[in-house]
Amino acid sequence: MTAVEERAEAAAPEVGKARRRKEDARLITGRTQWTDNLVLPGMLHLAVVRSPVAHARIASVDVTAAREAPNVVAVFTGADLAEEQGSLPCAWPVTPDMVNPGHPSVAVDRVNHVGEAVAVVVARSRVAAQDALELVDVDYEPLPVVLDMEAALADGAARVHDHIDSNRSFHFVFDAGEMGTGSATDQAFDDAEVVVSRRFVQQRLIPAFMEPRAVVVQPQGDNYTMWSSTQVPHILRLMLAMVTGTPEHKLRVIAPDVGGGFGGKLQVTPEEVLTFLVARRLGKPVKWAENRSESLMSAHHGRDQIQYIDIASDRQGNVKGLRCRILADMGAYLRLVTPGVPILGAFMFLGIYKFPAYRFECDGVFTNKTPTDAYRGAGRPEATFAVERIMDELAVELGMDPLELRRKNWINADEFPFTTAAGLEYDSGDYDAATREALQLIGYDELREEQRRRRESGDPVQLGIGFSTFTEMCGLAPSRVLGSLSYGAGGWEHAAIRMLPTGKVEVVTGASAHGQGHETAWSQLVADRLGVPFEDIEVLHGDTSVAPRGLDTYGSRSLVVGGVAVVNAAEKVVAKARRVAAHLLEASEEDLEFSGGSFGVRGTPGTGISIQEIALATFAAHNFPEGMEPSIDAEATFDPENFSFPHGTHICAMEVDTETGFVKIRKYACVDDVGTIVNPLIVEGQVHGGLAQGIAQALYEEAVYDEDGNLTTGTFVDYLVPSAADLPHFDTGNTVHAAPGNPIGAKGVGEAGCIASTPAVVNAALDAVRHLGVTDIRMPLTPERVWRPIHQGGDGGDRAPAGSNAYGGAQTETTTGVSTEASALGGDR
Amino acid sequence: MTPITVRVDGAAYTDDVEPRTLLVHYLREQLGKVGTVVGCDTSNCGACTVHLDGEAVKSCTVLAVQADGCEVTTIEGVARGAVLHPVQKAFHEMHGLQCGYCTPGMIMASIDLLKDNPDPSEDEVREGIEGNLCRCTGYQNIVRAVQHAAAEMRGDTSASNGHSGNGHVRPAVVDTAAAPHVAVQA
Ligand code: FES
Ligand code: FES
């Protein structure tokens, strides 16, 4: 091997390599540190008494028996903690007159949803605390239960909160005509040759991260350390200071290994505050760890919208306008970004299409249910579903091929950057290229042929093909944009790089991973920039003492915001090291070139000094440039100018058994453009996981409340997280259009699969049975919901399904036959 | 309290337990075997899967007293010293985990599956691990990992690349060094 080849090999970039993850070592051997693993000397255990009723006045709470129970140390009610608990924060007042009723961590005189905390028991062991829960005697005076959003907004409706005027929290409007980003919407509809209107329902979902939440708080004098299974240690620290009045610099928050989040751990929870308050009162370490039923009932839910969508077009299928009226279920309270979720979607209803006119209105509605908040995609899946479904409906109305209609209206590759009527500037992409690849990947022509054959022969099993040609906005977020939307914080991210004397490198990131593989991807980024080996890099995160600045992980922001901060910090390290190298090599900085981790004088081979050697020279500082502080460490904070806009084409081929209503995904193919790919393994994994969740919304999952406001899907027996047997093989591919807005060129991938897949699946099912007169099927597509419109018309009915087809056998007494006329009455829609 | 003697990951333990104590709680709270985790309270998720006398069980469905006199293997005991079990290695190689919470149970269930069926098809893997839920991966890479491990355990090196059926990434043929950052700490 010649020297030249050797150099070239050494320089093979890390970015783009399918590096196996650094994180795996501890995870595959059980050497993990989940919050619930933590045991501290003298630690007490906290358990929460939860309301069994959806809406009531608390007449009395008797804790005498519980206090006397063996090994119980203390019991606190809402009244005990009322003075110090403050209100859980809502960081996103989406309109100036938004009504926030306040959110106590433990109910004081009213409960507003099943599962709300009414008291806490503190004991020597978890078992003792749990045993004493039933000894707490709470007297509830029932109040009328508000569950249905449309009924909740009617005149004279019972109110969730009687200290506020109505069940409406806010009314948010974006009108492109008024904002000057598009033409007048009503005019567009008045002039339109074709208008199609639909009502879509985005059912309520539960994030259902696999690691149940847990919190440990350790007081040390007037300092407190909190370990929490959270996505957002930095936000939690700040909010904890604001809620409890404990000064911020006295608080340290650690997110150790965190077992998934999906937005569900993007929260400041009642249990975190309560564990903190109790530890502060007792001066002892306290742990709270939930069980799954508690988690499903009390951790925030997601989605839950009713969408009225109107689309206007001419006869040739040129779209003229889109009008959306959304009801978004807030649940009983506003949590961290509850009202912001539908607003994040507000700007994405136009999808990839050139609508000249757009109007969006949204009401945030209170009901006696668990609060909603972020769940993978947060607003964008809802928007994407609406536009991708209504495009299919318009295609049917016009008698056009759904893909031809899309092609006619989407932004062409040569039109980027393109500003939509919602005012967003889409950065780059090629929708046609992704579509062509996806069609090939799925074998489109054969599938259409098979569909025709089955149709002609009247096969009881029909085949349908559904599309979703989507885009989403990633990289939350330019701080100025968040400011214009009244969000309570910025959207930057921070990083620091520390060059250790032995040449090893510590990378500190404010992005707090919980399964996304930051340790690996960040190592790849830094290895390329500094020219040091991948193995020589350690990534530190998730502890506010170690990584003091950050805005954490959500909204597909980590790589495109946090990764850029890391890259910028690395560039600063190189700039400082260059000055040291010039001094040590007695050359001028301009004459140095940096490659493969070494500085050398241009044109003088063999003169090099590596950045790792410079790290040692910096530690010794014996011979350092005049006037330069002896450090080549650097920090960077990156605030993006714009969002990035990944896109892709997802195609689902679905078999529908018209006799049983059973659906089966025959093939699923997608081609995503997420910009530059740092690690193809991680990207593919993110797409797979997102697809699973998006498909699960379409086929399996729904949080169901009965007419009294009880969550009837409160265990994994009833809330159907799909198993391996319930999901198909995915054929995935990528096109790459680098994001112009950041030096990595990445666009974000964490939510893409989840945002794109749901409408593709529903469109596929409808495509299979349209010829039988079916026009809509309500999600999730359980056999019952699919069978009904085929045989009886309608959209499959309001309520939850008989035990649906996840698990292939997990149907139980509790799930079969829930869907009755009577149970529909109490519906949340 | 009932006295029990259990062998866990090769060491013998004698303890007094409450009759109602579940094996998983005994492992975690009394023995500190926190590699095994709890994901549900209805025996649906499989996160707590261990081997009891060589058979995979959900340790949340077994009482500690039922394990009296038995041999338990947890995720912490499947590697041979510093050498990972082929299934552990395959999960790493094939990116069969993200947050890793389901992983101990998935690996224990997969080892059991391969004992009964050393060459499972994709569908057989999917059905075989149906009792284990994963919220992160969408299962495809778990399936890939199990089949990859199966090939390795059969001594079949040729079979490991073919069955991804996926044009995008075939991890087994991507050139990365043998992941030196993964080794069991002694
Ligand atoms: S914890 Fe044992 S099956 Fe879920
Ligand atoms: S890797 Fe997170 S639940 Fe499976």
Side-chain angles (χ1 to χ4, degrees):
Chain A
M1 183 184 279
T2 68
V4 176
E5 275 168 358
E6 217 173 289
R7 277 271 291 275
E9 197 166 88
E14 279 289 337
V15 167
K17 261 194 203 166
R19 274 286 187 185
R20 305 310 193 273
R21 299 194 321 162
K22 292 184 168 186
E23 292 82 346
D24 293 352
R26 63 184 189 276
L27 300 170
I28 56 178
T29 54
R31 269 107 173 133
T32 32
Q33 214 201 353
W34 312 111
T35 301
D36 191 23
N37 293 1
L38 202 63
V39 178
L40 297 171
M43 188 173 82
L44 300 172
H45 296 261
L46 181 146
V48 180
V49 179
R50 297 188 181 277
S51 172
V53 294
H55 199 197
R57 202 178 76 77
I58 300 175
S60 67
V61 185
D62 182 356
V63 301
T64 340
R67 278 207 177 114
E68 293 308 315
N71 295 313
V72 168
V73 174
V75 182
F76 299 108
T77 65
D80 295 329
L81 298 172
E83 293 293 298
E84 57 195 286
Q85 70 172 333
S87 171
L88 289 169
C90 174
W92 205 331
V94 294
T95 60
D97 57 356
M98 181 186 87
V99 177
N100 181 354
H103 188 346
S105 288
V106 51
V108 179
D109 50 11
R110 288 272 196 290
V111 289
N112 290 304
H113 66 89
V114 167
E116 186 169 359
V118 289
V120 296
V121 175
V122 191
R124 252 179 68 201
S125 70
R126 183 181 310 195
V127 175
Q130 272 161 0
D131 283 350
L133 289 181
E134 59 196 39
L135 301 175
V136 175
D137 192 11
V138 186
D139 192 6
Y140 297 100
E141 285 172 5
L143 294 167
V145 177
V146 180
L147 296 168
D148 182 297
M149 283 196 277
E150 288 173 322
L153 291 180
D155 284 342
R159 274 171 294 151
V160 175
H161 299 281
D162 56 12
H163 65 285
I164 58 176
D165 289 344
S166 80
N167 293 316
R168 183 183 279 107
S169 173
F170 63 84
H171 182 73
F172 177 97
V173 180
F174 176 89
D175 187 293
E178 286 163 21
M179 296 300 289
T181 54
S183 50
T185 310
D186 287 342
Q187 191 64 47
F189 275 84
D190 289 347
D191 297 346
E193 290 169 3
V194 179
V195 173
V196 175
S197 300
R198 289 288 183 274
R199 175 183 187 269
F200 298 131
V201 176
Q202 280 281 322
Q203 81 270 33
R204 179 175 275 249
L205 299 178
I206 304 181
F209 33 76
M210 284 310 295
E211 181 210 13
R213 298 169 303 159
V215 187
V216 175
V217 178
Q218 181 177 39
Q220 299 137 297
D222 64 350
N223 278 263
Y224 300 88
T225 302
M226 172 182 284
W227 289 261
S228 182
S229 58
T230 179
Q231 289 176 236
V232 290
H234 298 93
I235 292 173
L236 178 55
R237 179 197 195 198
L238 169 65
M239 292 299 173
L240 209 54
M242 291 167 72
V243 171
T244 67
T246 301
E248 192 180 353
H249 61 301
K250 302 289 185 186
L251 296 171
R252 173 183 182 188
V253 176
I254 301 173
D257 286 333
V258 175
F262 317 108
K265 292 174 180 170
L266 197 195
Q267 194 54 271
V268 177
T269 67
E271 295 84 2
E272 283 162 336
V273 172
L274 291 170
T275 308
F276 179 85
L277 294 178
V278 169
R280 187 169 73 176
R281 273 226 188 171
L282 300 178
K284 300 281 280 178
V286 177
K287 179 195 275 187
W288 169 79
E290 71 184 352
N291 58 36
R292 179 58 59 185
S293 323
E294 258 186 304
S295 189
L296 294 174
M297 174 166 66
S298 63
H300 72 244
H301 294 173
R303 314 280 190 263
D304 210 346
Q305 293 187 355
I306 297 173
Q307 310 176 318
Y308 290 91
I309 311 292
D310 308 321
I311 190 170
S313 97
D314 64 19
R315 275 268 148 230
Q316 290 70 45
N318 298 298
V319 296
K320 298 295 184 189
L322 190 74
R323 206 160 47 191
C324 308
R325 191 167 71 77
I326 309 297
L327 301 182
D329 195 337
M330 307 282 99
Y333 298 106
L334 301 182
R335 286 208 179 155
L336 193 60
V337 295
T338 302
V341 170
I343 308 312
L344 275 173
F347 302 92
M348 295 309 296
F349 276 82
L350 301 179
I352 62 170
Y353 311 110
K354 294 181 277 188
F355 285 95
Y358 175 51
R359 182 176 171 86
F360 172 92
E361 286 179 51
C362 176
D363 287 303
V365 185
F366 292 115
T367 59
N368 290 113
K369 285 178 255 173
T370 301
T372 57
D373 206 307
Y375 173 51
R376 202 171 195 169
R380 291 159 291 156
E382 296 90 320
T384 302
F385 183 85
V387 68
E388 289 303 303
R389 283 285 298 107
I390 201 80
M391 287 301 277
D392 264 33
E393 297 300 309
L394 178 62
V396 169
E397 178 71 27
L398 295 169
M400 267 174 94
D401 177 81
L403 203 51
E404 192 193 328
L405 178 68
R406 284 172 168 80
R407 217 174 247 130
K408 190 171 226 160
N409 289 291
W410 71 37
I411 301 158
N412 294 312
D414 57 8
E415 292 175 300
F416 291 102
F418 183 91
T419 303
T420 70
L424 291 178
E425 189 189 282
Y426 290 4
D427 53 359
S428 68
D430 186 338
Y431 304 141
D432 193 50
T435 303
R436 276 185 277 117
E437 277 198 34
L439 289 171
Q440 211 174 8
L441 203 52
I442 202 162
Y444 182 65
D445 294 337
E446 293 104 88
L447 286 167
R448 276 286 183 227
E449 177 54 28
E450 181 185 334
Q451 178 183 43
R452 192 190 55 75
R453 277 199 315 269
R454 284 181 190 260
R455 208 157 279 187
E456 277 171 9
S457 68
D459 195 323
V461 177
Q462 290 291 314
L463 187 70
I465 301 168
F467 294 96
S468 171
T469 50
F470 84 108
T471 187
E472 55 150 335
M473 58 177 192
C474 285
L476 229 53
S479 296
R480 73 184 158 80
V481 174
L482 292 176
S484 73
L485 292 171
S486 311
Y487 181 62
W492 47 265
E493 192 49 85
H494 182 263
I497 294 184
R498 304 200 285 248
M499 301 298 291
L500 306 181
T502 54
K504 308 295 183 195
V505 181
E506 283 178 339
V507 177
V508 178
T509 176
S512 186
H514 38 283
Q516 295 89 345
H518 293 8
E519 291 169 34
T520 304
W522 280 210
S523 296
Q524 291 179 268
L525 293 175
V526 172
D528 276 356
R529 299 286 162 160
L530 297 185
V532 302
F534 174 78
E535 292 78 10
D536 283 358
I537 299 163
E538 189 72 14
V539 177
L540 308 173
H541 62 86
D543 177 341
T544 61
S545 286
V546 173
R549 284 179 195 287
L551 285 169
D552 307 315
T553 289
Y554 43 85
S556 300
R557 70 187 305 271
S558 288
L559 183 61
V560 295
V561 188
V564 175
V566 167
V567 163
N568 290 351
E571 294 300 335
K572 289 185 188 177
V573 169
V574 173
K576 288 185 186 180
R578 176 182 295 274
R579 195 167 156 203
V580 181
H583 174 78
L584 294 175
L585 297 172
E586 298 177 348
S588 86
E589 284 187 50
E590 297 76 59
D591 291 341
L592 295 184
E593 57 182 6
F594 180 61
S595 96
S598 280
F599 292 96
V601 181
R602 199 169 285 117
T604 321
T607 54
I609 180 169
S610 79
I611 199 163
Q612 292 180 293
E613 290 167 331
I614 292 172
L616 181 62
T618 303
F619 169 74
H622 297 163
N623 180 11
F624 220 65
E626 197 73 36
M628 180 176 174
E629 61 175 348
S631 166
I632 57 169
D633 296 352
E635 298 187 15
T637 304
F638 177 68
D639 197 344
E641 288 278 308
N642 189 7
F643 296 96
S644 54
F645 294 87
H647 70 83
T649 296
H650 288 230
I651 310 177
C652 177
M654 173 87 94
E655 288 174 10
V656 178
D657 186 327
T658 57
E659 288 170 356
T660 63
F662 194 85
V663 298
K664 179 166 181 280
I665 293 181
R666 169 71 170 284
K667 267 184 157 187
Y668 194 99
C670 60
V671 173
D672 285 287
D673 194 321
V674 299
T676 304
I677 292 173
V678 173
N679 184 323
L681 265 188
I682 292 177
V683 163
E684 190 199 32
Q686 287 292 320
V687 171
H688 289 171
L691 292 176
Q693 288 180 353
I695 291 170
Q697 171 170 18
L699 299 186
Y700 304 122
E701 295 181 24
E702 178 172 28
V704 181
Y705 284 85
D706 70 12
E707 64 265 40
D708 298 322
N710 296 304
L711 181 68
T712 61
T713 52
T715 71
F716 275 164
V717 175
D718 314 283
Y719 190 81
L720 301 179
V721 171
S723 78
D726 301 317
L727 291 169
H729 180 90
F730 311 121
D731 289 307
T732 61
N734 292 104
T735 59
V736 176
H737 289 79
N742 71 66
I744 301 172
K747 291 182 174 174
V749 67
E751 296 161 296
C754 191
I755 291 171
S757 54
T758 315
V761 174
V762 176
N763 281 339
L766 284 166
D767 186 55
V769 293
R770 286 255 189 216
H771 65 294
L772 302 174
V774 179
T775 56
D776 197 10
I777 308 174
R778 192 79 66 79
M779 294 187 291
L781 306 183
T782 62
E784 183 186 2
R785 281 221 174 125
V786 174
W787 186 88
R788 277 207 214 157
I790 296 173
H791 296 273
Q792 300 174 344
D795 64 4
D798 270 350
R799 296 304 304 169
S804 50
N805 43 0
Y807 294 106
Q811 297 166 6
T812 66
E813 306 260 85
T814 50
T815 52
T816 19
V818 215
S819 183
T820 62
E821 292 295 356
S823 64
L825 291 176
D828 48 351
R829 49 200 63 112
Chain B
M1 290 290 192
T2 311
I4 58 167
T5 300
V6 197
R7 233 183 143 71
V8 182
D9 296 336
Y13 298 87
T14 301
D15 267 304
D16 286 329
V17 297
E18 274 194 66
R20 64 170 172 167
T21 301
L22 299 173
L23 178 58
V24 68
H25 291 138
Y26 173 68
L27 291 172
R28 286 181 55 81
E29 286 158 30
Q30 279 179 261
L31 303 189
K33 290 275 177 188
V34 290
T36 301
V37 296
V38 181
C40 72
D41 39 20
T42 49
S43 67
N44 285 99
C45 78
C48 61
T49 306
V50 300
H51 295 172
L52 185 65
D53 287 340
E55 296 289 325
V57 296
K58 293 180 174 179
S59 61
C60 71
T61 62
V62 178
L63 295 168
V65 292
Q66 291 175 294
D68 185 23
C70 295
E71 167 113 29
V72 175
T73 307
T74 78
I75 188 66
E76 298 176 48
V78 291
R80 291 277 159 265
V83 182
L84 294 172
H85 189 283
V87 174
Q88 287 176 306
K89 225 169 71 194
F91 269 68
H92 172 61
E93 274 301 310
M94 297 292 138
H95 189 31
L97 63 150
Q98 292 180 24
C99 80
Y101 198 77
C102 70
T103 310
M106 281 289 180
I107 288 176
M108 298 312 282
S110 302
I111 293 173
D112 194 52
L113 166 71
L114 294 180
K115 200 181 65 184
D116 298 338
N117 181 355
D119 189 10
S121 68
E122 170 171 352
D123 284 349
E124 285 168 344
V125 176
R126 286 182 182 274
E127 275 151 34
I129 58 168
E130 172 174 52
N132 290 66
L133 298 179
C134 174
R135 192 56 155 167
C136 297
T137 63
Y139 301 103
Q140 188 152 319
N141 288 345
I142 293 179
V143 174
R144 205 140 64 175
V146 175
Q147 291 188 317
H148 184 72
E152 189 182 323
M153 289 162 77
R154 292 194 312 271
D156 177 356
T157 47
S158 64
S160 56
N161 299 340
H163 46 60
S164 83
N166 185 324
H168 174 42
V169 181
R170 285 197 183 81
V173 297
V174 176
D175 170 40
T176 55
H181 48 277
V182 171
V184 180
Q185 297 93 342

